């Protein structure tokens, strides 16, 4: 297994968003954008270090974010530069400056304002970089690309089918990205933005693999993107906990939730057999399913300790003895809601018969996740 570090440049001013603080520090559901991005990386057990590059002026703010949102010791702050390439180069210099006994095999570069990256994305990009030397995600272009002359008259129109939008994350063998930045010209560092091009230009042994990327790899750039991020966070930060007769039932239910017309999520469904700390860390940014017993103390302690801030928890019980389960279920849901109130966590309960009506319950789940009404936390729905 190869060793992996990540560099997240976050020293930009966010001029296109035209706001203060910069977009990476804007709050989404009481949590900064950069914190979501960092969490996506540090939650990977195989990710050894996450190097966050920020401007010197924002060091105190960033330290406070790391402390307030309980980020791990694998996160390291490095001072940034005025340009993107300059900031990334500082991250690379950190890796080779004696802070580490042995540099990593693979370096993943990401954007501080791309909050929604999944473990499958990181696994894929790191593996392809290890095979080829460098790899990056692309997305099809939405609009036609044109060029204009110095007087702003149309000069050329490009074939959209032959061009793609370069997305993040990107990954590189350490020796290649190190060589590329050491060989880069002043013009490259000051005016360039594409890491893959630097490697292709300066590293003869590297091949740059392009991979079709998913829709969730978008970046917060404009004000409207912040509103989209709020909705995405509400849907992605959801734990659906099912206590039922068999695994197949709750697996089908989760698939129905993500396919519901009331849900706009594209999150991956993960079937998690036991609520361990490791599973919560790996699946915090997607729908996750945990099979729990009806032990009130176990459930309350589990969520009070390990659930993230600003998430939605839905506890579902499918039982043939509904009358007996209702009182216990109501007490359980209300107790959990009380214990996680300080984290802005919304908790709902659903009690149903042994053979639940999947399509009806899935629509309800999709709806409460989308609306995330804090006034209804602790409520129990009965089907």
């Amino acid at each position: 297994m190869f060793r992996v570090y990540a560099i997240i440049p976050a020293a930009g001013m966010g001029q296109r968003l035209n706001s203060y603080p910069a977009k990476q520090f804007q709050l989404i559901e009481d949590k900064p954008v950069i914190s979501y991005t960092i969490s996506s990386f540090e939650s990977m057990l195989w990710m050894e270090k996450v190097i966050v590059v920020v401007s010197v002026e924002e060091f105190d703010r960033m330290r406070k974010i790391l402390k307030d949102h309980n980020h791990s010791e694998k996160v390291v702050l490095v001072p940034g530069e005025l340009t993107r390439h300059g900031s990334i180069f500082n991250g690379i210099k950190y890796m080779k400056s004696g802070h580490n006994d042995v540099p990593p095999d693979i370096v993943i570069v990401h954007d501080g304002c791309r909050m929604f990256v999944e473990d499958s994305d990181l696994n894929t990009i790191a593996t392809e970089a290890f095979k080829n030397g460098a790899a990056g995600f692309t997305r099809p272009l939405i609009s036609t690309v044109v060029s204009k002359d110095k007087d702003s008259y149309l000069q050329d129109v490009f074939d959209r089918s032959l061009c793609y939008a370069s997305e993040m994350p990107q990954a590189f063998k350490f020796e290649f990205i190190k060589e590329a930045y050491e060989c880069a010209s002043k013009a490259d560092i000051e005016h360039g933005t594409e890491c893959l091009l630097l490697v292709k230009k300066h590293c003869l042994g590297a091949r740059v693999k392009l991979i079709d990327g998913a829709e969730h790899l978008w970046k917060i750039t404009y004000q409207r993107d912040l509103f989209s991020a709020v909705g995405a966070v509400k849907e992605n930060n959801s734990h659906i906990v099912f206590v039922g007769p068999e695994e197949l039932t709750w697996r089908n239910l989760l698939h129905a939730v993500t396919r519901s017309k009331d849900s706009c999520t594209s999150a991956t469904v993960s079937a998690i057999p036991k609520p361990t700390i490791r599973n919560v860390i790996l699946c915090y940014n997607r729908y996750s399913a945990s099979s729990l017993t009806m032990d009130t103390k176990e459930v309350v302690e589990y969520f009070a300790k390990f659930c993230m801030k600003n998430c939605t928890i839905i506890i579902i019980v499918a039982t043939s003895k509904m009358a007996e389960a209702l009182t216990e279920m109501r007490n359980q849901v209300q107790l959990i809601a009380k214990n996680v109130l300080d984290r802005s966590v919304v908790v709902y309960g659903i009690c149903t018969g042994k053979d639940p009506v999947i399509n009806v319950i899935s629509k309800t789940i999709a709806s409460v996740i989308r609306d995330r009404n804090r006034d209804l936390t602790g409520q129990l729905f009965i089907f």
Side-chain angles (χ1 to χ4, degrees), residues 5 16 45 70 102 127 132 143 167 170 208 234 236 250 295 344 346:
Y5 282 18
R16 285 174 290 186
L45 298 182
N70 300 312
V102 180
T127 301
N132 297 285
S143 302
E167 306 290 355
Q170 297 174 349
V208 179
K234 286 181 178 181
N236 287 347
W250 52 262
D295 185 282
S344 297
V346 178

Side-chain angles (χ1 to χ4, degrees), residues 21 23 25-33 36 69 226 230:
K23 58 189 176 182
F25 302 120
Q26 292 286 318
L27 297 181
I28 304 293
E29 291 287 291
D30 302 322
K31 181 177 178 179
V33 167
Y36 287 101
H69 297 278
L226 289 174
V230 170

Side-chain angles (χ1 to χ4, degrees), residues 7-25:
I7 298 176
I8 302 177
M13 300 301 295
Q15 294 177 344
R16 285 174 290 186
L17 190 67
N18 191 27
S19 66
Y20 181 84
K23 58 189 176 182
Q24 61 268 31
F25 302 120

Side-chain angles (χ1 to χ4, degrees), residues 261-303:
K261 65 180 179 65
D262 295 320
S263 174
C264 61
T265 184
S266 59
T268 304
V269 174
S270 299
I272 308 301
K274 292 182 179 180
T276 63
I277 298 176
R278 178 176 182 273
N279 286 335
V280 172
I281 292 175
L282 289 176
C283 299
Y284 78 98
N285 63 343
R286 66 188 61 207
Y287 284 103
S288 63
S290 301
S291 179
L292 299 177
T293 68
M294 284 293 290
D295 185 282
T296 303
K297 183 178 179 181
E298 175 190 4
V299 177
V300 171
E301 289 181 351
Y302 169 68
F303 283 115

